[in-house]
Amino acid sequence: EAEELVSRVSGSSSSSFVPIDDKEDAIQVINEDKQFNGDLLSYVTATLLNVDKDYHIISVFGSQSTGKSTLLNRLFNTNFDVMDETQRRLQTTRGIWMAHSPLVNHTFNSKEKKEGIRNKNIFVMDVEGTDGRERGEDQDFERKAALFALATTEILIINIWETQVGLYQGANMGLLKTVFEVNLKLFGKAKSDTTSSSTSPVTKKISDHKVLLLFVIRDHLGVTPKEALAETITDDLLKMWDSLTKPSELSHFKFNDFFDIDFHTIGHKMLQPEKFEQDVKLLGDRLVNPSDTLFNPNYHHGVPVDGWALYAENCWDQIDNNKDLDLPTQQILVAQFKCEEFSKKSLDSFITKYTEYEPIGLVADDYEEIGRCLIDLKNDTLEEYDNLASLYNESIYEQKRTELSTQINAKVANLFNSHADKLRANSAEAFKKELIALKGRNFNKEGLKIRDDHRLKYLQKLSLLSIGGEISTDSNFAKLDETLSSIFITQQKAELRGVILKGLKKLSTGLTKEIQAQVGSPASTSWDDILAKFKCLTNEIISKYETDDAKGVYDFGLGTTGEENAKAIDEFKFKSWITFDEVSHKLLTKDSILALLKERFEDKFRYDANGVPRLYENTAELEVNFQDSKVYAMKVIKIFGFAKLSDETEIVPDYSIYDIKLRNTYFGINTIDDDDDEDEDNEDEGRRTCFAEVISEKDKAIILSKFKKEIDARFIETKKSIIQNVTQ
Ligand code: GDP
Ligand code: MG
């Protein structure tokens, strides 16, 4: 039966498969043209040793000429093609080969064990590839073959030299990375579909399925222990797993969900031939010892061997047709290399020209002109690149062109940002001036209009430098917006302060006039009139800003919030009382009252009711008039020394204006500093606590004593003149 199979395989003239000589020889599963051998199933069933169809599949993978075939032949008694040591043929026939192992070599001697071992069906696959390390070589076959081995076998032997451990390229890690990535993409989904809801034994099988990666380390000299080598390789694998591009729905999978790892070291074939043989047999022990075997039910695909052959064929179909594996061919590698080189060359010549232009562009202010220069420089650069690179692989050419464009834009950033800053500074300066020039008229409406104008102009100008919009103006524009907003808010606050100040000035002027008038003709209703004037003025000033919609709601047309407006009105009211206090104290001082007293006294004493000067002829008349004049004059201090109304109630402010803390909150810390001098003046008089007490009792006494001294002198002087007149 076996011979029949062999003749069928070898005799088929249309087939490109390499013939095999006898049943221990290998069958080519996949040939160099990537065709799957339809006769695989027949070979497999024909070579089975026993009826229970218990079988295992092992593959080997690794760089060319690392002794893979040699190992397999020694271990499994197969007859894979081995590179001739004398002729040093460069490569054996490419493809994936499979052979049934008639016997696994081992160190066991007992008869029973040998029997048990004989009954095991182990199929071995040998992957013969080129060496992908040579630059530009097509790795397509290597990738697909490795992926096939990974997908179909229970144990994948990864064959490496000890000296390759830790070397990314040497240990074929790059190839493995791609293979893992595609393996995850192709076969990971089945695993994730069954992990969540797995009660049936079949699905449980898929979700638990793993592959054993058995690293066989060749030419192990024994200096570095196996454990240390194992650690290095494990670290590399886990790192590689983390760096894989994983579909998001599979990103939670860990390396250990798919793979187990194990290690075996083998001595140098030529230098330690006996150790070499022994190590190979020890590996055999690990495969065949029923009580301690590397095989694990989880590695098995769980189907009879004919099912496996079909599965393998399907796997190959999927793998061979998978676009993800059509990775860089020679053409693409060359395109990458050349386009990169051209892009660098073009960028270099751009930098040379740009470096020359930058100082000119930085001081220039014709934005259209600068923008044109930048676009010209860039277009020249891209044109140069296009001339060199456009005939190479299109997608690589496009990709490198985009990169070049991005690099150019990044180079221009210095010029772009510098002008953006300059434009912003100019806008800010002009905006500030324009806002002040509004003098508060329609401040909010006009101010925002001016701001929008600046924003628009800024964008228009900066966009001219954006290489047709390729450089984003967003972050610079956001900065401008922030600057303008903060200027607006600052000026808005200043305007609001100005409104309050103007109101207070107006109040102060009006009050001054009223008090002066009242002082001219003191009456018991003087303070009634002054208070009424104060209230009238205050109301007049505030009501200008009261909105039509609601009483007690104010708007200054500054765009300030209702809360800010209410606060401003409150501040005005507080300060209006302070103004009242200040004006009355400025006008009604010790000296002014004293002067007033004297003036009134003189008026009455020296002139009669008709304004005719008096001539005193006797002392009796003098004494009566002196008393009258004195009482008339003193009325002033009685009325203006203490602010009370005609009904005898004293005037009390609506706010505690002498409360230092309250003053601080209304004036703010800075204003308090400005008012330092005034505070000191007030301190001279002692801190006042009573608004109504315009002249303190102490001052009153001083005024009166001075007044009395003066009028007494006047009295004596007048009396003397009467006596002289009489005696003459
Ligand atoms: P393959 O291409 O990986 O299958 O390698 P081969 O099995 O064809 O062997 C390639 C060459 O390496 C042959 O000349 C072998 O004699 C030699 N070779 C095989 N095994 C070893 C080994 O363990 N150590 C060394 N140094 N050479 C070996
Ligand atoms: Mg080989």
Side-chain angles (χ1 to χ4, degrees):
E1 201 190 326
E3 271 159 44
E4 192 186 307
L5 165 79
V6 169
S7 68
R8 191 150 37 88
V9 170
S10 55
S12 132
S13 54
S14 64
S15 166
S16 59
F17 289 102
V18 177
I20 48 176
D21 302 334
D22 61 58
K23 73 167 187 165
E24 262 92 46
D25 267 358
I27 180 173
Q28 198 176 20
V29 181
I30 289 154
N31 70 8
E32 289 185 72
D33 300 326
K34 298 172 193 162
Q35 286 171 308
F36 193 87
N37 191 345
D39 290 330
L40 177 67
L41 180 59
S42 318
Y43 172 81
V44 166
T45 43
T47 48
L48 283 182
L49 290 174
N50 48 8
V51 281
D52 66 5
K53 297 187 175 161
D54 177 17
Y55 70 96
H56 292 296
I57 315 274
I58 294 182
S59 295
V60 69
F61 163 79
S63 304
Q64 196 202 342
S65 301
T66 47
K68 297 185 297 292
S69 303
T70 303
L71 170 69
L72 295 183
N73 290 345
R74 291 295 168 102
L75 184 58
F76 296 108
N77 289 297
T78 49
N79 195 15
F80 290 114
D81 210 355
V82 170
M83 192 178 93
D84 193 308
E85 271 162 65
T86 50
Q87 292 180 21
R88 298 213 65 81
R89 261 188 300 154
L90 267 182
Q91 196 200 325
T92 48
T93 319
R94 232 161 73 151
I96 298 175
W97 296 78
M98 186 173 185
H100 179 260
S101 164
L103 179 76
V104 177
N105 273 336
H106 56 79
T107 61
F108 299 126
N109 291 315
S110 88
K111 208 162 164 56
E112 321 85 75
K113 266 193 180 149
K114 269 187 188 165
E115 281 310 307
I117 291 154
R118 243 182 219 293
N119 287 338
K120 223 173 206 110
N121 284 304
I122 294 183
F123 290 95
V124 186
M125 285 205 286
D126 186 10
V127 179
E128 288 294 344
T130 54
D131 197 325
R133 271 180 294 162
E134 277 168 46
R135 198 181 168 282
E137 195 131 17
D138 181 359
Q139 284 193 309
D140 189 52
F141 183 81
E142 267 64 33
R143 289 201 177 90
K144 289 183 173 173
L147 186 54
F148 177 75
L150 189 65
T152 55
T153 59
E154 296 166 55
I155 298 177
L156 178 64
I157 294 175
I158 297 173
N159 190 60
I160 55 173
W161 278 317
E162 182 182 3
T163 49
Q164 289 179 311
V165 172
L167 301 176
Y168 186 81
Q169 275 302 343
N172 259 313
M173 286 296 196
L175 183 55
L176 268 187
K177 183 178 173 196
T178 313
V179 168
F180 284 171
E181 215 162 74
V182 182
N183 179 59
L184 187 62
K185 243 188 241 173
L186 285 179
F187 308 108
K189 200 170 173 315
K191 194 179 188 77
S192 95
D193 284 349
T194 53
T195 33
S196 41
S197 57
S198 53
T199 38
S200 101
V202 181
T203 55
K204 189 170 178 287
K205 199 80 213 163
I206 298 171
S207 66
D208 290 349
H209 182 262
K210 283 192 189 184
V211 177
L212 174 68
L213 303 180
L214 175 60
F215 284 86
V216 173
I217 300 162
R218 307 291 292 271
D219 289 1
H220 181 239
L221 296 175
V223 181
T224 313
K226 183 175 97 170
E227 289 68 30
L229 297 169
E231 202 180 307
T232 306
I233 294 172
T234 308
D235 278 357
D236 285 351
L237 284 174
L238 293 179
K239 252 184 243 153
M240 179 210 293
W241 183 262
D242 287 341
S243 74
L244 290 190
T245 318
K246 301 182 195 79
S248 60
E249 70 272 19
L250 303 175
S251 59
H252 62 283
F253 280 122
K254 299 202 177 61
F255 182 79
N256 293 336
D257 292 328
F258 287 90
F259 306 107
D260 284 337
I261 349 178
D262 218 311
F263 301 88
H264 193 81
T265 49
I266 291 179
H268 197 291
K269 181 170 168 275
M270 273 66 102
L271 303 179
Q272 310 157 287
E274 274 139 48
K275 185 163 190 323
F276 174 82
E277 292 299 337
Q278 178 68 7
D279 286 340
V280 170
K281 281 183 184 171
L282 285 172
L283 179 55
D285 288 353
R286 299 179 69 189
L287 292 171
V288 298
N289 183 359
S291 58
D292 181 26
T293 176
L294 284 169
F295 288 113
N296 178 317
N298 278 354
Y299 304 154
H300 204 279
H301 283 89
V303 290
V305 79
D306 46 349
W308 178 84
L310 186 66
Y311 168 76
E313 191 168 0
N314 284 341
C315 274
W316 181 251
D317 253 15
Q318 270 195 65
I319 290 166
D320 194 28
N321 292 321
N322 174 40
K323 281 264 176 295
D324 293 335
L325 283 165
D326 295 341
L327 295 160
T329 57
Q330 181 74 8
Q331 184 207 11
I332 288 187
L333 285 173
V334 170
Q336 257 165 355
F337 184 77
K338 295 306 279 182
C339 292
E340 180 89 11
E341 184 184 298
F342 296 144
S343 154
K344 204 183 164 312
K345 185 167 177 279
S346 305
L347 184 65
D348 282 348
S349 71
F350 171 80
I351 290 172
T352 308
K353 283 187 246 167
Y354 175 76
T355 310
E356 225 168 84
Y357 173 70
E358 198 186 67
I360 304 164
L362 276 174
V363 295
D365 55 5
D366 182 342
Y367 284 83
E368 250 169 85
E369 174 63 22
I370 305 170
R372 240 194 326 268
C373 280
L374 293 179
I375 289 176
D376 283 352
L377 275 177
K378 181 169 182 179
N379 285 347
D380 286 353
T381 310
L382 291 178
E383 212 171 288
E384 180 186 330
Y385 170 80
D386 288 346
N387 286 338
L388 296 166
S390 61
L391 289 178
Y392 286 85
N393 174 283
E394 197 180 334
S395 81
I396 303 287
Y397 151 73
E398 291 285 358
Q399 183 197 328
K400 296 287 165 203
R401 194 179 198 272
T402 310
E403 280 171 27
L404 175 61
S405 164
T406 311
Q407 284 165 325
I408 292 173
N409 292 350
K411 279 281 157 217
V412 176
N414 182 39
L415 186 80
F416 182 80
N417 288 328
S418 158
H419 275 295
D421 288 347
K422 224 184 282 178
L423 282 173
R424 184 161 54 96
N426 289 345
S427 284
E429 199 183 331
F431 185 50
K432 212 181 277 178
K433 280 188 188 145
E434 285 153 2
L435 279 184
I436 291 169
L438 283 178
K439 296 207 161 103
R441 271 190 303 274
N442 258 336
F443 178 84
N444 195 38
K445 200 166 148 243
E446 295 298 322
L448 292 180
K449 214 156 86 190
I450 300 169
R451 184 199 63 182
D452 290 348
D453 224 46
H454 278 294
R455 297 209 299 192
L456 191 70
K457 271 193 212 138
Y458 175 89
L459 259 193
Q460 280 170 346
K461 284 197 175 170
L462 193 59
S463 296
L464 289 172
L465 309 188
S466 69
I467 313 202
E470 283 180 24
I471 303 174
S472 167
T473 52
D474 289 358
S475 73
N476 279 303
F477 184 67
K479 260 203 247 169
L480 171 88
D481 212 24
E482 207 176 291
T483 305
L484 296 184
S485 285
S486 113
I487 289 173
F488 186 82
I489 288 170
T490 305
Q491 192 53 32
Q492 196 182 42
K493 291 217 167 88
E495 293 296 337
L496 194 56
R497 255 198 322 275
V499 168
I500 296 171
L501 226 65
K502 222 171 86 186
L504 290 173
K505 228 172 232 164
K506 197 171 165 192
L507 176 68
S508 170
T509 313
L511 261 182
T512 303
K513 270 190 203 147
E514 176 66 20
I515 293 175
Q516 276 165 344
Q518 290 298 333
V519 166
S521 55
S524 56
T525 56
S526 279
W527 282 107
D528 300 64
D529 294 345
I530 294 170
L531 183 63
K533 187 74 186 176
F534 168 74
K535 288 196 169 159
C536 170
L537 285 168
T538 309
N539 249 328
E540 219 171 79
I541 292 160
I542 292 178
S543 61
K544 264 207 310 209
Y545 304 108
E546 198 162 23
T547 56
D548 297 335
D549 335 330
K551 244 197 132 29
V553 178
Y554 300 88
D555 184 6
F556 300 94
L558 299 173
T560 37
T561 62
E563 200 184 332
E564 285 172 309
N565 295 338
K567 234 180 107 189
I569 290 293
D570 184 48
E571 184 184 328
F572 174 77
K573 284 180 178 168
F574 180 85
K575 289 184 176 172
S576 71
W577 279 100
I578 289 188
T579 302
F580 193 179
D581 189 47
E582 280 169 4
V583 168
S584 45
H585 276 277
K586 199 170 130 202
L587 296 176
L588 307 170
T589 59
K590 255 190 296 189
D591 295 342
S592 72
I593 294 282
L594 180 61
L596 204 59
L597 282 174
K598 284 194 277 186
E599 198 185 301
R600 281 173 71 89
F601 175 83
E602 286 292 305
D603 274 359
K604 196 81 177 167
F605 187 68
R606 289 181 49 191
Y607 303 95
D608 67 11
N610 300 319
V612 180
R614 285 179 201 277
L615 274 176
Y616 289 100
E617 280 156 15
N618 57 55
T619 50
E621 190 191 359
L622 169 68
E623 260 159 40
V624 170
N625 241 317
F626 179 78
Q627 269 314 318
D628 280 358
S629 302
K630 190 173 158 185
V631 169
Y632 173 74
M634 298 262 280
K635 205 174 160 190
V636 167
I637 197 160
K638 194 174 160 256
I639 290 173
F640 293 108
F642 195 84
K644 64 179 177 190
L645 307 176
S646 52
D647 65 1
E648 293 293 312
T649 54
E650 70 170 85
I651 297 177
V652 179
D654 297 341
Y655 294 82
S656 312
I657 55 170
Y658 305 118
D659 184 330
I660 293 294
K661 268 196 202 138
L662 206 56
R663 266 176 184 255
N664 283 356
T665 52
Y666 278 108
F667 283 94
I669 301 302
N670 294 336
T671 336
I672 284 294
D673 284 350
D674 292 346
D675 286 355
D676 249 3
D677 299 342
E678 219 170 294
D679 279 354
E680 275 160 26
D681 284 351
N682 288 347
E683 261 159 17
D684 287 347
E685 300 168 27
R687 287 254 175 237
R688 274 202 317 282
T689 52
C690 172
F691 176 86
E693 195 188 67
V694 181
I695 305 285
S696 68
E697 289 304 318
K698 192 179 111 202
D699 285 349
K700 266 185 199 166
I702 295 169
I703 293 170
L704 285 180
S705 102
K706 277 190 183 166
F707 178 58
K708 199 163 170 299
K709 249 182 228 158
E710 292 222 8
I711 60 172
D712 283 353
R714 195 93 179 82
F715 178 83
I716 290 167
E717 175 195 326
T718 313
K719 195 167 181 175
K720 262 185 197 161
S721 72
I722 294 173
I723 294 166
Q724 272 169 6
N725 275 344
V726 170
T727 48
Q728 270 169 8

